[in-house]
Each structure stands twice: as structure tokens, then as C-alpha cells.
Amino acid sequence: VATGACFAADQVAYVEAGASGTCDALSPCGSVQQAFDTDRLVIKLQGTTEIVSSAKIVIDRDVLVLGDPGATLPVLRSTGTSTFEVTGDATLTIKDVELSGNTGDGIKIIDNASATLDHVFLLNHTKLGISATSSNKLVMRGCVVAGNDDGGIALSDITFEITNTMLIANGASDSTIGGMRSVSPGPDSIFEFNTIADNTTMASQLPKAGADCSGTAFPAHNNIVAGIAGSLALEPSCQFDHSLFT
């Protein structure tokens, strides 16, 4: 991707809705889990491919997931497990994909793993859009995290770089996290050029409904924070500057 060169054919697993092949270019498979099981470096998604397995997809190796325009991954399960769980020293990179509707978290990052999300939509999960604990790094560029019932993003002991991202209408009247919460961020964490709007939490947490820095400040420049009715939108130690509030 960085050089413009093509990947070798045997490095790419192709996924297309309704297909039943071997994940090759001329014979796509119809299952995201089958594509991960090939151990290929790249997974190429086309169309709307439903994830119906009750088990989470565990990612313990570096993998790049690329979506054609309009590629979506609706999750049809009722077990409450995360869709993708990134573990070990693995790095999951996703570009141009919509992931929606899981009864668990959209993406969970643990055990020193990392994730890079570029133009990824994480929508309408029953739990969190993203959960990252004791991990290496999370990078988000140009993403949308919206409509997730337990909150948008929950980060703990991880360095993050979140830019040009929208955190919209996350949380609920019984959730403790609204748009985002960060606990013990890495020293080089960045949160810039983002929009946080119309998120909510339970009444006792309303002052943190937009962003909760949990007592540890991190640089947060050039953001927009809006739509928090009757309350502050930020936990007091959040260091937002050159930002707009309404």
C-alpha cells in the first residue's frame, strides 16, 4: 500500500458475500473467519459479508484488512463476544470497512497488541466500539464511532493517536462511558481534529459524557465537543485547547 506495488496473489485472501471458494482472486470465500484461517497477509473484502459465527475472531498475527467501496461486516450473533480480538504482539490494520451490530465490542485489543484503523466505521454495537487494555498502540484516522450502547472508546494503559475521527451518539442512560474514556495514556498520545457530539452516560457520569480523561491529562488540540445537554462534556483534567464547545 505504501509503495503502490501489488501484493503477490498468494498473500491475499478474497472475501465476497455469498461465495464459497478457496479465498483466491478467482474463487473468493464467503467467510471472514475462513479468510483469517488462510494465514495470508491481506484480506480483501467486497460487498456485505455477515459474520455469523458465535466465536470471536482472534488475531494473533499481523494482518491487513482492505475494503472495496461500501464493504460492510454486519455481525449476527448473540453471545456478547467481541468481533475482533487482537492479542499478543499482533497488529491489525483495517482500511475502508464498516463493522456494525455486534452484541459485544466491535474491536478488543489486549496483551501488547496494536491496531491501526483508517476510515473505519464502528456502529451500533451493544457494548463498546473499541476496547483497548494494556496494549501497545491504537491509531485511528478518519473514523466514525457511533451508536455503541456501552460507549464509544475505552482505553487503558495504551498509547493512542486519534485524529479526524467522529465520536457520535455513544452511550446510554445506564452506561459509564460516553464518547471516550482514557486511563493512564501513553506519554506520546494524541487526540486532535476530532468531533465528539451527542454522547451520553448515566446521570452520575454526565460531566464526563463527552471525554473522560480519568485524572490523567493528554494533549487534545483542535477538537469540537457538542451536544451534551445540561452538563459539562469533559472530565476536569482533560487538556483541550484551541477547541470549540457548545
Side-chain angles (χ1 to χ4, degrees):
V1 172
T3 65
C6 293
F7 289 102
D10 61 0
Q11 291 181 310
V12 184
Y14 293 85
V15 181
E16 184 176 340
S20 58
T22 57
C23 301
D24 298 318
L26 299 179
S27 180
C29 52
S31 164
V32 174
Q33 182 65 69
Q34 183 181 349
F36 275 98
D37 289 343
T38 65
D39 287 334
R40 297 178 188 175
L41 174 66
V42 181
I43 295 174
K44 189 70 162 57
L45 303 175
Q46 181 175 346
T48 299
T49 306
E50 296 174 346
I51 299 177
V52 296
S53 170
S54 61
K56 60 193 174 187
I57 297 175
V58 177
I59 300 167
D60 56 5
R61 62 184 179 86
D62 293 351
V63 63
L64 168 62
V65 180
L66 298 175
D68 277 349
T72 62
L73 293 176
V75 184
L76 306 180
R77 67 161 69 124
S78 58
T79 57
T81 57
S82 54
T83 306
F84 295 134
E85 183 174 294
V86 194
T87 186
D89 293 323
T91 296
L92 170 65
T93 302
I94 308 179
K95 296 177 180 286
D96 302 319
V97 175
E98 177 185 305
L99 183 63
S100 62
N102 189 17
T103 53
D105 299 331
I107 298 174
K108 188 173 184 177
I109 310 167
I110 59 174
D111 298 336
N112 204 43
S114 301
T116 295
L117 311 180
D118 190 346
H119 195 236
V120 173
F121 288 67
L122 292 152
L123 309 177
N124 305 322
H125 298 94
T126 301
K127 292 186 179 179
L128 294 159
I130 300 175
S131 171
T133 304
S134 299
S135 305
N136 185 29
K137 191 168 186 179
L138 170 65
V139 177
M140 299 178 68
R141 304 185 188 100
C143 296
V144 176
V145 183
N148 302 287
D149 292 348
D150 280 0
I153 303 174
L155 309 174
S156 180
D157 296 303
I158 184 172
T159 296
F160 55 85
E161 179 186 322
I162 301 174
T163 56
N164 295 294
T165 288
M166 303 183 76
L167 308 176
I168 309 295
N170 297 288
S173 60
D174 59 350
S175 64
T176 59
I177 299 174
M180 71 167 293
R181 172 184 289 167
S182 172
V183 179
S184 301
D188 298 321
S189 294
I190 296 172
F191 189 85
E192 295 182 336
F193 302 105
N194 303 297
T195 297
I196 308 174
D198 296 332
N199 300 285
T200 191
T201 59
M202 62 175 61
S204 63
Q205 300 292 313
L206 272 179
K208 310 174 183 180
D212 180 359
C213 302
S214 294
T216 305
F218 57 86
H221 313 306
N222 303 298
N223 298 287
I224 298 173
V225 184
I228 309 298
S231 176
L232 298 174
L234 307 171
E235 188 269 337
S237 59
C238 295
Q239 288 188 336
F240 279 62
D241 61 24
H242 294 83
S243 297
L244 300 177
F245 300 89
T246 177

